[in-house]
Amino acid sequence: MVKAVAVITISDTCFKDNSKDTAGPALADFVKELFPEANLHTIIIPDEKEIIERELKYFCETNLDLVLTTGGTGLTPRDVTPEATKAVIQREVPGITIAVTLASLKKTPMAQLSRAVAGVRDKTLIVNFPGSKKAVTECFEVVKPILPHAISLIHNEVAEVSYIHNSMQFNHTCTHSSNVDVSKVALRPRESPFPMFEMAEAWKLVDDVMSEWKERLKIVTIEEGLGKVVAQTLYAKEPMPPFPASVKDGYACLSIDGAGVRRVRIAVTAGDAPTAPLCAGECARVNTGAALPAGADCVVQVEDTRLVSASDDGQTELEVEILKAPEPQQDVRSVGFDIPMGTVLVDKGQILDSAKIGILAGAGYQNVTVRAPPKVALLSTGNELQEPSEVKLKPAHIRDSNRTMLRVLLKEHGYDSIDCGIARDTPPEIVAGIAAALKLADVLVCTGGVSMGEKDLLKPVLLKDFNATLHYGRVRMKPGKPSTFATCEFEGKKKYIFALPGNPVSAYVCALLFVIRALRVSCGVRGAWPRMRVRLAHAAQLDPRPEYARASLELSPDGDMPSATMLGSQCSSRLLSACGTNVLLELPAATDSQQRLPAGAVVPALITGRLDFAS
Ligand SMILES: Nc1nc2c(c(=O)[nH]1)N[C@H]1C(S)=C(S)[C@@H](COP(=O)(O)OP(=O)(O)OC[C@H]3O[C@@H](n4cnc5c(N)ncnc54)[C@H](O)[C@@H]3O)O[C@H]1N2
Ligand code: MOO
Ligand SMILES: [Mg+2]
């Protein structure tokens, strides 16, 4: 099935004045007719090779099935669409352009001058069309019969590729080798060689590194934009309301007529376009939201009127009395009352919420450009791990809960992730797992193998096989002490790796404190979680490390400070301690003079979850 298509108008003129674009909308209409189910993205860009390439690549990366361009295929010096397309596609499909040219030549010898290109990049078919509505109409007719088949062929290939991918992902044994020598366990360090960072230092490192993430933009439907940071300023292209509208159910009148009897000339309900203007002594029955007839400048609500005369059958009001003289503009929403034309509806950098999305819908915007977070891959490591779906556990095995927990935790915070399965604890398998993940994603989140055991191979593999920079490899925190953040270059691109401890609670807390923070920073959201002061509902034992205790908030009905209840034993393996968490309490490290906090002590809490309570 064709799920998403983009129509790109490439023209300096249309870019400057969108209303000049006739070919793009025509092409969009043909696409809607051929693929009614598909999500359609339309954009207008100038004749700039770099921008064209960037947009084409972007649409291919976002897995669109089809990208149709119109414009920029001719011979003027600014026509660079074919060059940009050639730079992006991996396989050319010359048959499409030959068929189009042959058909067009029957209509005009000018078809000889089109240099349009068609080809495939990854799973996306790209076809260039010339830049006029007429040419687009003729050319689309030619390619229309083959488009669905071409796309399904590309998909079949992709299915095979992804099958190969998946089997690679879920069986990380392979031909990879590693520079990590595991034969001399007796020589392993007996102290961690990684310096211990304070939390504030670790956060600063994450923020500094992730704010380098090159702004990547994505066009999404306004609904998909929920929670995303808008990358463009959108203005009201028309006033709201577009006509003077009644605020009340009543009578539209001329205020100059004052109080007194009026002839009810017409009835205008919402959606009716009034045809004739009102004259002195007349009124129009109107509903809330109805357009006022010309001449009317006020509305008198029905409660402030009295029926004077009606038709014998009671179906028509003939005269009403306005009981109190109305003011001009009384109960009228003038043109642009809510949103004057040109108002900024959403500003670049704002986060889209439901009200803003409603405003955009009301203003006729269907798509919006937002900042796209990096792609995230999840990988578990451990010889003891089995897939969660496996019914029977082998001796000494457990089911992998981290991947599922992390996937939904990311989802809860608005981020998708790619599942890269489980890698066993051998250097080649970990290398294979990491390499497979880095091929697919910008950010790798893996769990397990970061501490001091002979099977804890993540750090050496990152250092020796991926030449990674370890920004931190230990943090003074509980849980999550061996948490690791590294970057490396892989296939020419910078990659970001969060190697989280395997203990499920450590993985949960470190994902919140480091990974989600990093994703927020990378797409323009303030990284730090909001902090508030809460009162401990009970005494708390302090750990030598600063601790992020999982707690649930009780909101006080009398406006007192909320109280926080920790969720049982805070052992790093016990994920039950995180169930129902909406805050992480920042408990200070124990000192000689303070080993515990009494009930009622006030501590800072990071709000990391929903403040929802079951009824
Ligand atoms: N000698 C030392 N030992 C340990 C230290 C230390 O400083 N010195 N640190 C401890 C701390 S703190 C933590 S946290 C853990 C971190 O362990 P690793 O990251 O090396 O993780 P593993 O050893 O692979 O596993 C730990 C634990 O978690 C379970 N696990 C792993 N992956 C999963 C998964 N995907 N789903 C569910 N459970 C998982 C695993 O079975 C282990 O029980 O190290 C301490 N040791
Ligand atoms: O730092 Mo670990 O996560 O205490 O168990
Ligand atoms: Mg370990």
Side-chain angles (χ1 to χ4, degrees), residues 448-457 482 502:
V450 288
S451 194
M452 294 292 288
E454 73 268 39
K455 294 289 186 190
D456 290 338
L457 299 168

Side-chain angles (χ1 to χ4, degrees), residues 3 52 77 102 138 161 165 187 196 207 209 242 294 298 343 350 353 356 408 422 464 467 489 520 543 558:
K3 290 207 218 90
I52 304 169
L102 286 175
E138 288 166 7
V161 172
H165 248 139
L187 300 182
M196 183 79 89
D207 291 355
V209 171
C298 63
T343 304
Q350 288 183 334
D353 59 20
K356 292 195 182 92
V408 291
I422 300 168
K464 293 193 179 163
N467 200 18
E489 184 148 322
R520 286 156 65 104
D543 189 86
D558 50 16

Side-chain angles (χ1 to χ4, degrees), residues 484-498:
T484 298
F485 175 43
T487 48
C488 70
E489 184 148 322
F490 182 81
E491 296 185 343
K493 286 192 185 153
K494 187 161 180 178
K495 303 286 173 172
Y496 306 84
I497 298 142
F498 291 89

Side-chain angles (χ1 to χ4, degrees), residues 65-260:
D65 304 288
L66 176 66
V67 177
L68 302 178
T69 71
T70 161
T73 56
L75 291 180
T76 76
R78 295 286 294 159
D79 288 330
V80 289
T81 304
E83 284 69 30
T85 308
K86 277 189 184 150
V88 167
I89 56 175
Q90 295 143 339
R91 294 179 299 154
E92 197 167 348
V93 190
I96 292 182
T97 36
I98 292 170
V100 169
T101 311
L102 286 175
S104 307
L105 279 171
K106 288 186 192 149
K107 306 227 158 85
T108 167
M110 297 304 241
Q112 294 172 61
L113 307 183
S114 171
R115 303 180 305 113
V117 170
V120 179
R121 181 185 172 93
D122 299 335
K123 318 174 215 172
T124 309
L125 176 64
I126 304 173
V127 184
N128 297 159
F129 288 117
S132 76
K133 185 175 175 186
K134 182 168 175 290
V136 155
T137 310
E138 288 166 7
C139 298
F140 193 82
E141 271 307 299
V142 180
V143 297
K144 191 172 152 185
I146 60 96
L147 282 180
H149 185 57
I151 292 166
S152 69
L153 282 177
I154 295 168
H155 281 194
N156 281 341
E157 278 178 24
V158 169
E160 253 180 69
V161 172
S162 75
Y163 170 76
I164 295 164
H165 248 139
N166 284 342
S167 46
M168 257 176 65
Q169 282 173 20
F170 288 86
N171 177 12
H172 295 296
T173 48
C174 58
T175 53
H176 285 81
S177 61
S178 168
N179 299 314
V180 175
D181 179 6
V182 286
S183 62
K184 302 190 177 92
V185 67
L187 300 182
R188 72 179 159 143
R190 305 196 88 74
E191 277 295 325
S192 171
F194 300 99
M196 183 79 89
F197 282 77
E198 299 302 329
M199 267 318 266
E201 295 173 307
W203 277 335
K204 179 158 186 338
L205 282 163
V206 170
D207 291 355
D208 287 350
V209 171
M210 294 315 294
S211 49
E212 284 165 17
W213 168 255
K214 210 171 127 281
E215 190 167 310
R216 192 175 289 189
L217 306 182
K218 191 174 171 186
I219 298 170
V220 293
T221 63
I222 54 174
E223 283 183 44
E224 288 164 348
L226 180 66
K228 305 269 184 321
V229 175
V230 179
Q232 63 185 142
T233 300
L234 297 178
Y235 300 90
K237 294 176 282 189
E238 54 200 20
M240 181 67 178
F243 49 83
S246 174
V247 175
K248 293 277 176 69
D249 301 314
Y251 298 88
C253 326
L254 283 67
S255 59
I256 198 160
D257 287 347

Side-chain angles (χ1 to χ4, degrees), residues 384-397:
E384 76 279 35
L385 300 179
Q386 286 182 212
E387 283 297 328
S389 55
E390 288 185 56
V391 179
K392 203 165 160 44
L393 284 177
K394 295 182 190 131
H397 276 217

Side-chain angles (χ1 to χ4, degrees), residues 380 384-385 398 400-402 448-452 456 481 501-503:
S380 291
E384 76 279 35
L385 300 179
I398 57 166
D400 173 2
S401 60
N402 285 353
V450 288
S451 194
M452 294 292 288
D456 290 338
K481 183 179 66 172
N503 271 326

